Amino acid sequence: MTAHKWVAFCLMVLGCASNKSDVVDTGAADADADTDTDTDTDTDTDTDTDTDSDTGGVDEPDWTELDAAIEAEMEAGWIPGLGVAVIADGEVVLARGYGWADVEGEVPVTAQTPFMLASISKTFTGTALMQLVEDGLLELDTPVNDRLPFVVDNPHTDSEVITLRHLMTHTSSIRDRWAVWGELGDPEALYTYGDSEILLGTMLEGYLIEGGTWYSEDNYGADLPGETYRYCNMATALAGHLVEMVSAVPLDTHSELEIFEPLGLTNTGWHLADHDASMVAIPYANTGGTYTPYGHYGYPDYPDGQLRSSAADMARYMLAYDLGGTLDGAEILSPESIDEMFRLQVPDVEGTQGLFWYWSTEFGGELIGHSGGDYGVATSMYLDPESGVGVVALANVDWTSRTSHAMTAIQSLLFEVGREW
């Protein structure tokens, strides 16, 4: 692995649950994208730890058979820890934890265990932005340069206009240049253990403005905004920065006040400092059945992937979307805003893309959601708006072919639970 979040490329290459997930441009599929081997290595993940469920007061069914099936898939997929949730019929019907948040310390996963979400985080950034659109502080077709203290200028084009909609649909012409992030553990890398001390605005200016610390003309494509789809984390980070630019409140603070607190998301936060680190699921590499901890890490461009949340919290978040933006009397978005986020935005360029959310045909339905991948992170969140069934699966391990196969099987089981509810 050479850059943060590129692991998501494996989701498509290895046949993960998503037809189009965190697709990034690496130039080529790296030969070491799949570290899994097909040897019959003994991989005792010891997932027979106590599971925890939080279904919001619903009488708890007997999940014995489901538990056994999920634990078998975890063992086959070399998944150390897993948080899952299912919503159906307007309620959370299942939220459970399996295996270990900390293998060595034998800290079990529960429904409340925070996992790094990786690119699922983008949907929260989108939620914050749509709240500002509702408040009249932004418009989707607002030129970003009208709201920034610096000028974003693609060196390959003339008179281009990049809008918020371009940023939220990965059509802005901004590109991710993976060498910038470096390797986790490298003291010169933007990846850092714990939370990054580099401010979001500082990185954006250094990346997007000529003469900046991380600037290169390769940070931009040769196409005009709106012409070409290219999945882009830095465009998402810039979109997240707009929250502060128009409201004078940083994205992390805005999210806490306007999303997390109203929905009762008590184990959700953008930074490691927002959590009790001893209870956060440790990200792991798995080679030949041996778990190696990466440690907790972060990066300056946090709006594109650094949110940590639990299965129980993610169920409530997804349920709010399913119910038209209001949960337990707290409205985070209007039904019209959610419809706009789910609407195909650029069908002539990319036929599955909404506003950060994207569509996928799988698990027996037309689903809207997002997945995520990073060092020791494999996550998935998908909702079937027609049936109201949604599934969350959060794992603390790299995406490999083994992980992908197991996560697909687990999500299939969970969708079956929701549709039979």
Side-chain angles (χ1 to χ4, degrees), residues 19-149:
N19 290 341
K20 183 192 73 63
S21 43
D22 297 340
V23 181
V24 299
D25 178 32
T26 63
D30 285 57
D32 61 346
D34 181 2
T35 57
D36 139 54
T37 62
D38 291 326
T39 56
D40 293 327
T41 308
D42 182 10
T43 58
D44 181 11
T45 57
D46 194 8
T47 56
D48 295 326
T49 55
D50 290 338
T51 56
D52 174 77
S53 185
D54 179 359
T55 59
V58 177
D59 290 339
E60 183 70 2
D62 183 358
W63 298 118
T64 303
E65 290 186 8
L66 177 68
D67 290 346
I70 288 178
E71 289 169 354
E73 292 295 343
M74 289 176 66
E75 183 173 0
W78 296 347
I79 298 173
L82 182 73
V84 301
V86 178
I87 66 168
D89 197 25
E91 62 185 359
V92 180
V93 301
L94 178 150
R96 294 175 75 73
Y98 300 88
W100 303 114
D102 177 348
V103 173
E104 184 177 16
E106 295 189 348
V107 177
V109 174
T110 75
Q112 306 298 337
T113 299
F115 287 74
M116 183 171 260
L117 298 182
S119 284
I120 293 176
S121 306
K122 292 177 172 67
T123 69
F124 284 82
T125 298
T127 301
L129 289 163
M130 288 302 291
Q131 289 176 330
L132 297 180
V133 169
E134 288 188 353
D135 292 342
L137 296 177
L138 277 173
E139 294 181 0
L140 289 173
D141 296 311
T142 298
V144 297
N145 283 336
D146 289 355
R147 301 304 179 90
L148 293 172

Side-chain angles (χ1 to χ4, degrees), residues 2-344:
T2 59
H4 92 288
K5 305 175 214 68
W6 85 257
V7 179
F9 181 77
C10 302
L11 308 188
M12 181 175 69
V13 173
L14 298 174
C16 179
S18 168
N19 290 341
K20 183 192 73 63
S21 43
D22 297 340
V23 181
V24 299
D25 178 32
T26 63
D30 285 57
D32 61 346
D34 181 2
T35 57
D36 139 54
T37 62
D38 291 326
T39 56
D40 293 327
T41 308
D42 182 10
T43 58
D44 181 11
T45 57
D46 194 8
T47 56
D48 295 326
T49 55
D50 290 338
T51 56
D52 174 77
S53 185
D54 179 359
T55 59
V58 177
D59 290 339
E60 183 70 2
D62 183 358
W63 298 118
T64 303
E65 290 186 8
L66 177 68
D67 290 346
I70 288 178
E71 289 169 354
E73 292 295 343
M74 289 176 66
E75 183 173 0
W78 296 347
I79 298 173
L82 182 73
V84 301
V86 178
I87 66 168
D89 197 25
E91 62 185 359
V92 180
V93 301
L94 178 150
R96 294 175 75 73
Y98 300 88
W100 303 114
D102 177 348
V103 173
E104 184 177 16
E106 295 189 348
V107 177
V109 174
T110 75
Q112 306 298 337
T113 299
F115 287 74
M116 183 171 260
L117 298 182
S119 284
I120 293 176
S121 306
K122 292 177 172 67
T123 69
F124 284 82
T125 298
T127 301
L129 289 163
M130 288 302 291
Q131 289 176 330
L132 297 180
V133 169
E134 288 188 353
D135 292 342
L137 296 177
L138 277 173
E139 294 181 0
L140 289 173
D141 296 311
T142 298
V144 297
N145 283 336
D146 289 355
R147 301 304 179 90
L148 293 172
F150 52 87
V151 176
V152 178
D153 180 28
N154 185 331
H156 307 296
T157 60
D158 294 322
S159 303
E160 79 281 353
V161 177
I162 299 174
T163 68
L164 177 58
R165 194 187 305 273
H166 292 141
L167 298 179
M168 296 179 73
T169 58
H170 305 292
T171 60
S172 69
S173 79
I174 299 171
R175 299 286 185 262
D176 291 326
R177 184 164 56 87
W178 300 110
V180 166
W181 283 270
E183 296 277 357
L184 182 60
D186 180 350
E188 302 300 319
L190 287 175
Y191 267 114
T192 186
Y193 291 111
D195 294 321
S196 176
E197 296 181 358
I198 301 173
L199 297 177
L200 173 61
T202 299
M203 184 189 177
L204 288 167
E205 289 196 51
Y207 188 88
L208 296 170
I209 306 305
E210 185 175 2
T213 303
W214 304 283
Y215 180 81
S216 166
E217 290 189 358
D218 292 337
N219 296 350
Y220 296 88
D223 45 295
L224 286 169
E227 289 185 347
T228 303
Y229 175 91
R230 190 69 63 83
Y231 191 92
C232 186
N233 291 290
M234 282 304 292
T236 306
L238 181 61
H241 191 49
L242 284 172
V243 173
E244 181 173 1
M245 294 301 97
V246 303
S247 70
V249 178
L251 173 65
D252 47 9
T253 303
H254 175 98
S255 300
E256 182 66 35
L257 296 175
E258 304 296 335
I259 304 173
F260 307 159
E261 288 184 2
L263 294 183
L265 310 186
T266 56
N267 292 289
T268 302
W270 282 107
H271 307 289
L272 186 62
D274 299 329
H275 301 274
D276 177 352
S278 68
M279 302 306 295
V280 176
I282 295 173
Y284 287 95
N286 189 323
T287 303
T290 301
Y291 297 118
T292 304
Y294 285 115
H296 295 303
Y297 57 86
Y299 32 80
D301 50 310
Y302 73 88
D304 58 48
Q306 195 180 275
L307 193 67
R308 294 175 175 89
S309 186
S310 68
D313 281 6
M314 290 301 297
R316 290 184 59 80
Y317 172 68
M318 189 165 47
L319 187 59
Y321 265 84
D322 179 55
L323 296 177
T326 299
L327 181 63
D328 296 339
E331 180 180 293
I332 60 166
L333 285 176
S334 69
E336 293 76 18
S337 290
I338 290 177
D339 287 344
E340 181 64 19
M341 294 192 79
F342 287 0
R343 183 177 69 84
L344 293 178

